[in-house]
Amino acid sequence: MTHLTWLLVALPAAGALLLLLGGRRTDRWGHLLGCATVLASFGMGVALLTELLGRPGHDRAIHPNLFSWVPVGGLQVDFGLQIDQLSICFVLLISGVGSLIHIYSIGYMAEDPDRRRFFAYLNLFVAAMLLLVVADNYLGLYVGWEGVGLASYLLIGFWYQRPVAATAGKKAFVMNRVGDIGLSLAMFAMFASFGTLQFDGVFAAADGASRGMLTAIGLLLLLGACAKSAQIPVQAWLFDAMEGPTPVSALIHAATMVTAGVYLIVRSNPLYNLSPDAQLAVVIVGAATLLFGAIVGCAKDDIKRALAASTISQIGYMVLAAGLGPAGYAFAILHLLTHGFFKAGLFLGSGSVIHAMDDEQDMRRYGALRSLLPITFATFGLGYLAIIGIPPFAGFFSKDAIIEAALAAGGVRGAILGAAAVLGAGITAFYMTRVMLMTFAGEKRWADDAHPHEAPAVMVWPMILLAVGSVFSGGLLAVGGTLQDWLEPVVGVHEGAHVAPVWVTTSVTLIIVLVGVGVAYRMYGRRPVPATAPADVSALTAAARNDLYGDAFNEEVFMRPGGQLTRALVEVDNAGVDGSVNALAALVSRTSDRLRGLQTGFARSYALSMFVGAALVAAGILAVQLWA
């Protein structure tokens, strides 16, 4: 299979190209082709996993070199792929969950006249994401990184006829460019320091670099990760991304784009292991973001935006774990994989509810849907139990592992990180219980002309399969250290440490989770939910409704000063650069005007000028001779 590895990326890329160039002629079967290409990539991923499993532990890597890409002087970059224990996890998640989202989209987008274009963009997204995780160098990763950014812009703004969707797509694109600059500068620093962009070359030479350079590279990589994974301070685009079709939300928020930053950090683990300062920055960003997203999620009435806030928080857990070094890398990937199942299921479930409620997304206009949407209720409920960490569901194994690793950091640092992780678990239980109760419990609050109904089978089956993953994936990957042992050759040996017996940590976390569930039930299960959000709320609730003023912060700290700087530079350009050029042009113009006056066009004037000139020359010669 090694010589066919390139088909992983080529198949969905070819599907996108064919659907975009084929135009309306492919409308009748374009959605089927889109699904087939991603399913084929998943099949390739399974075959590659089988080949890796058949090899000894020290040789589980497939590294085909396809061609010489950039043979320019000292910059020699080959276009190669790398299938190892880390990348195969992402390949299977992206193509597997991506396939289910493609199939779900057949029903969700059935009435959309541009369904073929939608599937072309989905294929492009999957192809770019697969290239990102299988490239064997940072330049190839960067190509996939930019491709994901382009595809997300196209998908978020898919309904570009709606101004709010077009604006959301531009916002996501621009904010991600901030992170792209960080990744670009990190690559420049790598080449300047190590003379290569190949993963193996960079990691082998990292030991000889200064701590300052390694910290700079780590921080720049973190900036790139923050933008792609919607971490503080560049998280605001993710809420607006909900303007795209719901399958886009599932694809971006579950298995693909938002996990790219986590992949970048974990893949670059040899650099972070040598820079404690960069690792500290990573854990600070992760801890702050997991609390930020959880708090915002408590005040969202739009079901998709509530889940978006949840995504920000859950990715924060992964980033926190990745910042803990070898003690947390495997747990970051474990939570990433389980999150791919339950978050994709939750988003597809929300899409089923929105589909049933005639595109209504406000949970205050839901209620009592559990009996009308029994399959959606069951699958969404399993995802809910997984995300809040109830045993034996998937999130229990991955989130508790991160909490234990955070506490094991020791000292004040471990106490702060552990407390943040446990508090985040309690808040997660609160806002997700709120979503469940407002959507499926209580009295109906929808209009009489609404007729909620279960989704068609093509949408239901992907939800069921994701629910199965939400139940079993955590246990299968975590019990016995299965995933830790598998990833050890890439992320290093995990040396487990506990500040308290595991059952103590687990019990305390579950108590906090149950408290969050109880508070939510008391507020939304035992009391009627008003159809309109109360206007008289606390300052914290008001702040959470406004995303803790993230947009206002960016406007005041970055946009306004940036605008003022731009206007100042324009003035400098107008008065300085343009002024000097214009002054020179004016001088030439005035001089030419004066000289032009000497050209009269009359022969007698020219004859007189010649006579006067000759006379002056003769007089000058005579004067010189007389003087001599």
Side-chain angles (χ1 to χ4, degrees):
M1 291 299 296
T2 302
H3 64 287
L4 297 176
T5 304
W6 58 275
L7 289 175
L8 272 174
V9 179
L11 287 169
L17 185 64
L18 182 59
L19 292 177
L20 289 173
L21 296 182
R24 295 295 180 185
R25 290 170 293 181
T26 64
D27 278 355
R28 288 185 302 172
W29 46 267
H31 55 288
L32 299 178
L33 175 65
C35 293
T37 57
V38 181
L39 283 168
S41 286
F42 177 67
M44 282 289 302
V46 173
L48 289 169
L49 174 64
T50 302
E51 182 171 343
L52 292 181
L53 290 172
R55 297 185 176 193
H58 64 277
D59 189 34
R60 284 176 175 166
I62 299 173
H63 199 168
N65 186 17
L66 302 183
F67 54 86
S68 179
W69 186 16
V70 186
V72 181
L75 179 59
Q76 300 288 327
V77 180
D78 293 332
F79 194 95
L81 305 180
Q82 179 171 304
I83 306 298
D84 59 9
Q85 292 90 335
L86 178 61
S87 60
I88 195 64
C89 292
F90 281 83
V91 166
L92 293 175
L93 182 67
I94 294 164
S95 59
V97 175
S99 296
L100 296 177
I101 294 171
H102 273 67
I103 295 169
Y104 177 95
S105 299
I106 294 176
Y108 193 88
M109 302 294 289
E111 304 300 324
D112 196 293
D114 289 322
R115 181 171 65 170
R116 181 260 318 162
R117 178 167 60 89
F118 180 77
F119 274 86
Y121 294 164
L122 287 184
N123 269 199
L124 177 63
F125 194 105
V126 171
M129 190 66 197
L130 286 171
L131 175 60
L132 190 159
V133 299
V134 300
D136 71 344
N137 62 84
Y138 281 100
L139 190 57
L141 180 151
Y142 187 78
V143 173
W145 192 274
E146 292 298 318
V148 168
L150 170 63
S152 65
Y153 164 75
L154 296 172
L155 287 167
I156 293 169
F158 180 76
W159 288 321
Y160 59 86
Q161 303 89 343
R162 297 162 44 186
V164 66
T167 301
K170 289 188 290 185
K171 182 176 181 179
F173 189 82
V174 170
M175 294 195 74
N176 272 276
R177 294 304 298 170
V178 176
D180 296 348
I181 292 172
L183 179 55
S184 300
L185 294 176
M187 291 166 56
F188 295 155
M190 288 176 195
F191 181 71
S193 300
F194 313 129
T196 181
L197 294 175
Q198 299 292 136
F199 290 148
D200 292 343
V202 170
F203 301 155
D207 281 332
S210 67
R211 181 167 174 175
M213 177 57 71
L214 290 170
T215 299
I217 293 174
L219 293 177
L220 290 169
L221 291 174
L222 175 60
L223 177 59
C226 285
K228 270 293 186 286
S229 294
Q231 300 291 284
I232 289 175
V234 280
Q235 78 292 335
W237 66 269
L238 200 63
F239 297 108
D240 297 82
M242 297 301 98
E243 296 299 332
T246 300
V248 174
S249 302
L251 193 63
I252 290 177
H253 293 71
T256 54
M257 181 170 173
V258 292
T259 62
V262 180
Y263 171 79
L264 179 64
I265 295 173
V266 175
R267 174 60 75 186
S268 304
N269 69 86
L271 301 177
Y272 282 100
N273 291 340
L274 296 171
S275 177
D277 294 333
Q279 282 187 330
L280 178 61
V282 172
V283 295
I284 290 173
V285 167
T289 304
L290 76 87
L291 291 176
F292 172 93
I295 292 170
V296 171
C298 295
K300 293 298 182 185
D301 293 332
D302 183 309
I303 187 170
K304 287 174 64 176
R305 288 179 179 261
L307 293 177
S310 170
T311 296
I312 293 174
S313 180
Q314 298 305 307
I315 300 293
Y317 274 100
M318 301 173 205
V319 172
L320 167 62
L324 296 173
Y329 291 133
F331 297 145
I333 301 304
L334 174 62
H335 195 53
L336 187 150
L337 296 175
T338 59
H339 178 265
F341 286 106
F342 61 69
K343 184 53 64 66
L346 289 169
F347 265 111
L348 295 190
S350 73
S352 177
V353 173
I354 294 168
H355 183 268
M357 297 298 293
D358 298 326
D359 296 328
E360 176 60 67
Q361 295 183 197
D362 190 342
M363 294 184 293
R364 293 185 178 276
R365 295 183 174 88
Y366 291 166
L369 291 177
R370 62 184 180 278
S371 59
L372 299 173
L373 307 176
I375 299 177
T376 300
F377 170 64
T379 56
F380 196 98
L382 292 174
Y384 154 74
L385 293 173
I387 193 173
I388 68 173
I390 298 296
F393 298 94
F396 164 75
F397 295 96
S398 56
K399 190 180 295 184
D400 270 36
I402 293 175
I403 293 173
E404 291 167 12
L407 290 169
V412 176
R413 176 182 176 182
I416 294 174
L417 295 178
V422 172
L423 179 59
I427 301 175
T428 299
F430 172 82
Y431 70 73
M432 285 306 304
T433 303
R434 176 178 180 267
V435 170
M436 283 294 295
L437 294 173
M438 291 180 70
T439 302
F440 297 104
E443 301 295 327
K444 75 168 189 175
R445 300 182 297 277
W446 65 81
D448 292 335
D449 58 348
H451 303 285
H453 55 281
E454 189 60 89
V458 73
M459 295 170 62
V460 164
W461 277 106
M463 292 160 53
I464 293 174
L465 293 175
L466 289 169
V468 171
S470 300
V471 176
F472 297 109
S473 62
L476 291 175
L477 294 172
V479 173
T482 303
L483 186 65
Q484 293 170 245
D485 295 339
W486 173 256
L487 292 174
E488 183 179 306
V490 180
V491 303
V493 178
H494 169 74
E495 297 179 359
H498 303 282
V499 296
V502 174
W503 68 267
V504 174
T505 305
T506 299
S507 299
V508 171
T509 303
L510 284 176
I511 290 172
I512 298 297
V513 166
L514 293 177
V515 168
V517 172
V519 172
Y521 178 75
R522 185 170 181 272
M523 294 178 64
Y524 297 96
R526 299 181 60 183
R527 303 175 185 173
V529 177
T532 303
D536 184 17
V537 295
S538 66
L540 179 59
T541 300
R545 286 181 181 176
N546 290 281
D547 305 336
L548 296 185
Y549 304 111
D551 283 329
F553 175 83
N554 290 332
E555 182 175 352
E556 291 297 328
V557 176
F558 298 110
M559 194 197 81
R560 292 188 185 279
Q564 293 172 355
L565 176 61
T566 301
R567 286 190 290 272
L569 291 175
V570 169
E571 291 297 324
V572 170
D573 181 68
N574 290 337
V577 180
D578 287 353
S580 60
V581 172
N582 292 336
L584 179 60
L587 176 62
V588 172
S589 177
R590 286 195 294 270
T591 303
S592 62
D593 287 341
R594 300 295 185 272
L595 293 174
R596 187 174 57 191
L598 301 176
Q599 305 297 319
T600 63
F602 295 111
R604 59 180 179 272
S605 298
Y606 298 153
L608 178 62
S609 299
M610 293 170 64
F611 175 76
V612 172
L616 291 174
V617 171
I621 294 173
L622 181 60
V624 170
Q625 291 179 347
L626 291 174
W627 181 265

